[in-house]
Amino acid sequence: MCIGTETDLAKNRTFHITTFGCQMNEHDSEIMAGMLAEKGYEPVNTRDEADIVIFNTCSIRENADKRFFGTLGQLKHRKLEEREAFTVCVCGCMMQQQHIIDTLKSKYPWVDIVFGTHNLHQLPILLDNLYNENKKQIEVWQDGGEIVEGLPAKRLFKHKSFVNIMYGCNNFCSYCIVPYTRGRERSRRPEDIVTEVRKLASDGVKEITLLGQNVNSYRGCGEKCETDFTDLIYMLSEIDGIERIRFMTSHPKDLSDKLIDAFRNCDKLCKYIHLPVQAGSNDVLKAMNRKYTRESYLKLVKKIRTAVPSIAISTDIIVGFPGETEKDFEDTLDLAREVGYDSAFTFLYSIRQGTPAAKRTDQIPEEIKHQRFNRLVEVINSISAEKNREYRGTTQMVLADGVSRSKEGTYEGRTDSFKLVNFVGEPGLEGKIIPVKITDSNTFSLTGERE
Ligand code: 5AD
Ligand code: SF4
């Protein structure tokens, strides 16, 4: 068989990546797109146009699993018809679970390439191997090994970027699959992060979002292991061109006073924090292995609000964790009201094979879960609408992301506090931070005019 060169192999081949799940996955997809573009593969906007289709999967809830298999199944006909001319690759969190690999092998044997979260940097090699050897490639690493640095990324936006600062999670919340799919915590070296952000700034990036499952336990080892998360924020804030720094996600048990001070002392650190509470009942929090109580969480929120009164706070809440009683659920409703969240992501508890909570025999019936979920959403939405109303008549600095998808002739952007704003303004504002007068608001967004 003739062995092609890299450029030969990529020649005229187009690709499309479908991403399921969180920002981590979105950023992984940007890196895969960057690697492929560097090899000469060409991105296209739809799966139908693509010679190579890649699914970057999520395993956080059962819905994500189902959606993936549903969408994958739709490609079978095309794959069997076009054979070598069409390549199907699957990767991401689901691939780190043996039962998923087994299902793929038995029910979707026509998939060409399978790889996991720990070896996504191998995608170009796996493609080369597939085309050279004409042989299916299944390569899933069980753990992370050395962090691979210097991978290119093809960003969705010119002016803002995700930056991974750490990988994995050590917390083992009893409902969560992430520690099993993403492995143990590993922090990148601070100097590698600084180099990446300097490069982003020189490319015109103004806003960075630092990503990790639990950024508060970042511990960067350079010469010595002494850079904590707040130190890293201060280091990055010194980079010219970077005007906004955000981060995701913070575990309440690890949030330091030093970080709270940084919200006051570092102008570039946006006044917004995502602080997942998951539940408002101490019994449920304990069973979830969250390692804080309702009282300590509320105290933390108070401390943050005292330090930075204008800060916006969002959260994640799971409804219907095994054993959750009506009283437990009411504690959650109560806590949501007491905190007064700007917004919340609400989830129905979903059994994840291999996690401790999946083995519990006191699972909550679907019907009750749904009823509670609807009640929670109603409470959350009315608080969000109220919080947004407070913005009416104020002027906010908004980073214009681009033209709005929902309303013609308007821009979409974010305030420092991460509120979505639709506003009218002259052409050419994309990527600029500009004052916007807020004229109206609803549950999920604000409306305004360029001031
Ligand atoms: N069921 C429902 N929601 C979950 N999450 C994580 N695991 C599960 C699960 N098994 C939610 C948590 C987490 C968010 C990213 O997803 O709220 O913070
Ligand atoms: Fe999952 Fe808990 Fe880790 Fe978040 S902190 S990724 S919920 S185990």
Side-chain angles (χ1 to χ4, degrees):
M1 177 181 288
C2 148
I3 307 285
T5 64
E6 273 169 10
T7 25
D8 280 348
L9 292 170
K11 211 169 176 185
N12 297 330
R13 280 203 167 99
T14 56
F15 71 91
H16 180 271
I17 307 178
T18 305
T19 310
F20 297 89
C22 64
Q23 283 92 346
M24 283 279 187
N25 265 18
E26 266 177 46
H27 189 46
D28 283 351
S29 292
E30 289 181 342
I31 291 172
M32 287 191 277
M35 290 188 298
L36 293 184
E38 202 168 66
K39 294 278 176 199
Y41 296 98
E42 193 199 321
V44 285
N45 290 330
T46 64
R47 279 198 290 272
D48 288 347
E49 297 166 81
D51 303 316
I52 305 168
V53 164
I54 301 159
F55 288 103
N56 189 3
T57 64
C58 167
S59 54
I60 198 104
R61 283 169 292 274
E62 199 187 2
N63 259 353
D65 282 23
K66 281 195 185 142
R67 269 176 48 221
F68 159 63
F69 279 124
T71 321
L72 180 65
Q74 291 165 11
L75 297 185
K76 180 177 177 184
H77 186 69
R78 181 172 164 205
K79 175 67 199 173
L80 298 186
E81 214 161 64
E82 298 184 19
R83 296 184 171 272
E84 281 90 42
F86 180 44
T87 307
V88 181
C89 313
V90 297
C91 62
C93 290
M94 283 176 73
M95 304 309 131
Q96 297 299 141
Q97 297 166 278
Q98 191 52 47
H99 69 99
I100 298 287
I101 302 288
D102 295 342
T103 305
L104 279 170
K105 281 183 181 161
S106 62
K107 297 203 177 129
Y108 304 84
W110 40 268
V111 167
D112 298 291
I113 295 180
V114 180
F115 56 106
T117 54
H118 301 302
N119 64 323
L120 69 89
H121 59 278
Q122 286 192 313
L123 172 59
I125 298 169
L126 295 171
L127 281 168
D128 284 359
N129 291 351
L130 174 80
Y131 298 138
N132 279 325
E133 298 164 13
N134 199 15
K135 205 171 101 217
K136 226 169 124 88
Q137 304 286 316
I138 300 187
E139 173 93 27
V140 179
W141 291 5
Q142 282 320 307
D143 50 76
E146 285 270 298
I147 293 175
V148 182
E149 290 292 345
L151 298 176
K154 198 168 181 345
R155 291 193 315 274
L156 223 52
F157 292 96
K158 261 177 84 83
H159 57 275
K160 61 179 190 180
S161 179
F162 293 125
V163 177
N164 272 327
I165 62 164
M166 59 194 299
Y167 302 91
C169 181
N170 290 350
N171 288 314
F172 290 94
C173 300
S174 63
Y175 50 81
C176 185
I177 195 77
V178 169
Y180 308 90
T181 58
R182 292 258 170 193
R184 293 298 71 72
E185 269 173 17
R186 284 158 301 135
S187 295
R188 286 177 70 194
R189 291 187 318 185
E191 53 269 37
D192 291 332
I193 300 172
V194 168
T195 306
E196 179 177 339
V197 174
R198 279 215 185 99
K199 165 97 182 35
L200 290 171
S202 70
D203 285 351
V205 167
K206 290 185 176 153
E207 179 182 294
I208 50 169
T209 302
L210 308 178
L211 291 181
Q213 305 296 346
N214 179 14
V215 289
N216 297 321
S217 58
Y218 173 83
R219 177 87 18 205
C221 290
E223 307 257 292
K224 291 187 212 135
C225 278
E226 60 186 16
T227 307
D228 67 16
F229 181 53
T230 314
D231 298 331
L232 180 70
I233 288 176
Y234 284 117
M235 281 163 85
L236 298 174
S237 72
E238 273 166 28
I239 297 174
D240 284 341
I242 298 299
E243 295 183 38
R244 285 179 164 189
I245 301 176
R246 302 185 183 281
F247 59 85
M248 272 212 144
T249 293
S250 260
H251 195 304
K253 78 176 166 60
D254 298 317
L255 197 134
S256 66
D257 289 353
K258 194 168 160 187
L259 179 60
I260 297 177
D261 283 343
F263 277 115
R264 267 196 310 216
N265 301 333
C266 176
D267 286 345
K268 292 184 179 179
L269 183 59
C270 290
K271 308 302 172 262
Y272 164 69
I273 187 162
H274 184 63
L275 200 59
V277 68
Q278 313 296 0
S281 138
N282 280 336
D283 288 345
V284 175
L285 286 172
K286 190 151 196 290
M288 285 178 162
N289 193 29
R290 290 292 288 177
K291 302 197 173 83
Y292 53 83
T293 61
R294 167 194 182 88
E295 293 75 25
S296 65
Y297 183 91
L298 287 170
K299 214 164 131 193
L300 180 63
V301 167
K302 201 164 172 197
K303 207 193 263 181
I304 298 171
R305 286 235 172 91
T306 307
V308 195
S310 65
I311 200 163
I313 305 180
S314 63
T315 200
D316 291 344
I317 298 176
I318 299 177
V319 173
F321 183 81
E324 183 190 69
T325 62
E326 175 61 22
K327 166 78 175 69
D328 290 326
F329 174 65
E330 279 169 15
D331 283 350
T332 299
L333 289 180
D334 248 27
L335 179 132
R337 287 194 201 99
E338 190 164 343
V339 173
Y341 288 109
D342 287 84
S343 61
F345 297 94
T346 45
F347 305 107
L348 289 164
Y349 169 72
S350 165
I351 296 179
R352 302 289 64 209
Q353 245 183 65
T355 63
K359 297 191 197 84
R360 288 187 54 159
T361 50
D362 49 357
Q363 300 292 334
I364 305 295
E366 286 304 309
E367 203 186 303
I368 296 183
K369 273 197 227 174
H370 280 92
Q371 279 172 8
R372 289 183 184 163
F373 182 86
N374 293 341
R375 284 162 65 196
L376 176 64
V377 169
E378 211 171 288
V379 167
I380 294 287
N381 285 353
S382 85
I383 304 170
S384 300
E386 210 175 292
K387 289 266 161 191
N388 285 350
R389 219 171 290 133
E390 289 168 15
Y391 280 70
R392 291 187 192 174
T394 65
T395 297
Q396 300 290 322
M397 296 309 291
V398 175
L399 173 55
D401 285 331
V403 282
S404 166
R405 271 161 293 164
S406 49
K407 219 179 198 176
E408 220 175 294
T410 61
Y411 282 97
E412 222 171 60
R414 296 272 175 181
T415 65
D416 184 280
S417 58
F418 205 57
K419 300 275 178 192
L420 179 64
V421 188
N422 291 300
F423 67 97
V424 185
E426 70 274 20
L429 293 178
E430 283 101 333
K432 297 208 167 106
I433 298 177
I434 40 168
V436 173
K437 175 102 180 177
I438 306 302
T439 51
D440 203 357
S441 68
N442 58 37
T443 310
F444 302 108
S445 65
L446 309 175
T447 310
E449 285 158 12
R450 161 103 163 91
E451 202 171 66

